[in-house]
Every structure is written in C-alpha cells, then in structure tokens.
Amino acid sequence: MVDKKRDYRLFAIACEGSVRERDYFERFEVLSTRISVDLISDVDEYGNIVISSKSSPEHVLNRAQVYANNTNLVSGDQMWIVVDVDRWPDEQLSVLAQECYSRGWNLAVSNPCFEVWLCYHMETDIPDENKERESAFFKSHLSTLTIEGYSPDVYAPLAFVAAENARAKDLDPMLRIPPYKVTHVYRLMDQLQQYTSKQEIELF
C-alpha cells in the first residue's frame, strides 16, 4: 500500500557514469511537485558520498541494492538502472537485465553510450559516421550540436523531445539490450511525464 504521508513518487536512479549522468538527472528534481529524484551514489563507511571509478553493471546493481536496503521504498516508487553497452559483454548485460527484472526494477540501456540519448535532444537521427561504433564518436559529436557545447541546463528541458526522437528509433521495444544508436532512457522520461503536468513541463 502507498504511504499516505507521501504525496510524491520517488525515482531512484543508479547511473553507470558518475559525472555527466548525475549532472543531467539532478535537473529533474525540480520537474514536478509529484516526483522526487534521488541519484544513487557510492558511499564510504561513514555514509559520505564518494566519487568512484567503478562502473561495471554489477557495481551499479550492487550500489542500487545497498540503497534499496537502506531506504523506505513504497509501492509506486521506481528504481532505475541506467547503463551503457559500451565495453561490457552481452552476457554481463543480460545478467543485469535478469537481475533487474527479478527485483521489479527498471533498466535503461544506451548503445553504445549515454551520449546517444543526449544527441536525440538536438536531432532526430545521428549521423552514421562511426565505423568503429565507439563511444568517443558520440561524445565528440555531442559537442558540435550547440555553439556552447553540451550543458545539462540546456539539454534537460528538451528531454521529452528527446524521448520522442529516441522512441522513433526503437524499432524492437521488446529487446532488453537496444541495438546500435538506440537508447531506452526515453522509458524513464515516459514515467516521469506521467506525474508531470503540461504546465510543469513548459516551465521546466
């Protein structure tokens, strides 16, 4: 049963990246009065937030589990694991998908990297110039899409436009691991939008 004292839905997000993803998703804390966004960090033995270089799917999953064990999650709250295909083997990502499913958690994978999601904020299609299909291409391409370069303050308000663009590229939504140049982060935006009014989106 939903906690009657709570008038919002908690979105707990565990990201593979420790900087760019955090800076982006933190902007959504002010999106709506009906949601609360909590970015799950690594903590030391004293509970202090630490910046960790550990980014494997297993580490992100474990970080989320520690958070879940120490947080009063209620019905309606959502746990999201946000990772990249990048350099991780398919078997590793498949195990992550199975673990998320068994816990009732949500998984948003980008192929090959989070920057694919960010590119869809500014364009409906990403140029297919990356013959090696490496993340470095998308990070470099992202910096060319605006005169000032990438800024979460500019990009975050365009998230629901990006969701439309990314959804149009997801031709097989049943796949847990998306193909090249496809990202499932739009699914997180779809859920956030359910608790956000049109006026709040316009003011975001």
Side-chain angles (χ1 to χ4, degrees), residues 114-181:
F114 184 70
E115 282 73 17
V116 168
W117 163 249
L118 296 176
C119 286
Y120 283 124
H121 288 60
M122 295 294 174
E123 51 192 355
T124 58
D125 193 19
I126 304 172
D128 199 6
E129 302 172 1
N130 184 22
K131 294 182 180 180
E132 301 299 325
R133 299 195 170 191
E134 295 177 349
S135 298
F137 167 80
F138 295 95
K139 294 176 182 179
S140 175
H141 179 65
L142 177 66
S143 67
T144 69
L145 297 181
T146 55
I147 296 176
E148 302 83 3
Y150 170 73
S151 167
D153 291 329
V154 173
Y155 276 66
L158 298 173
F160 300 110
V161 173
E164 294 180 7
N165 294 335
R167 187 185 302 104
K169 293 299 180 181
D170 189 9
L171 301 182
D172 193 352
M174 296 302 293
L175 293 176
R176 291 182 177 179
I177 310 302
Y180 178 62
K181 291 202 302 184

Side-chain angles (χ1 to χ4, degrees), residues 99-111:
E99 290 294 333
C100 287
Y101 178 79
S102 67
R103 290 168 167 81
W105 295 353
N106 303 280
L107 177 63
V109 182
S110 299
N111 188 350

Side-chain angles (χ1 to χ4, degrees), residues 35-71:
I35 65 173
S36 177
V37 176
D38 202 354
L39 275 295
I40 302 173
S41 304
D42 283 302
V43 294
D44 61 21
E45 58 183 316
Y46 304 106
N48 300 313
I49 295 176
V50 296
I51 300 299
S52 173
S53 60
K54 298 178 181 179
S55 61
S56 71
E58 291 90 345
H59 181 76
V60 178
L61 184 70
N62 290 337
R63 191 194 322 148
Q65 188 61 62
V66 170
Y67 174 91
N69 292 342
N70 292 281
T71 305

Side-chain angles (χ1 to χ4, degrees), residues 58-106:
E58 291 90 345
H59 181 76
V60 178
L61 184 70
N62 290 337
R63 191 194 322 148
Q65 188 61 62
V66 170
Y67 174 91
N69 292 342
N70 292 281
T71 305
N72 182 31
L73 297 175
V74 302
S75 176
D77 290 341
Q78 297 188 23
M79 176 74 77
W80 283 85
I81 308 296
V82 180
V83 298
D84 304 336
V85 168
D86 205 12
R87 61 190 183 276
W88 309 118
D90 290 346
E91 298 82 6
Q92 203 170 10
L93 293 170
S94 294
V95 170
L96 174 65
Q98 293 169 7
E99 290 294 333
C100 287
Y101 178 79
S102 67
R103 290 168 167 81
W105 295 353
N106 303 280

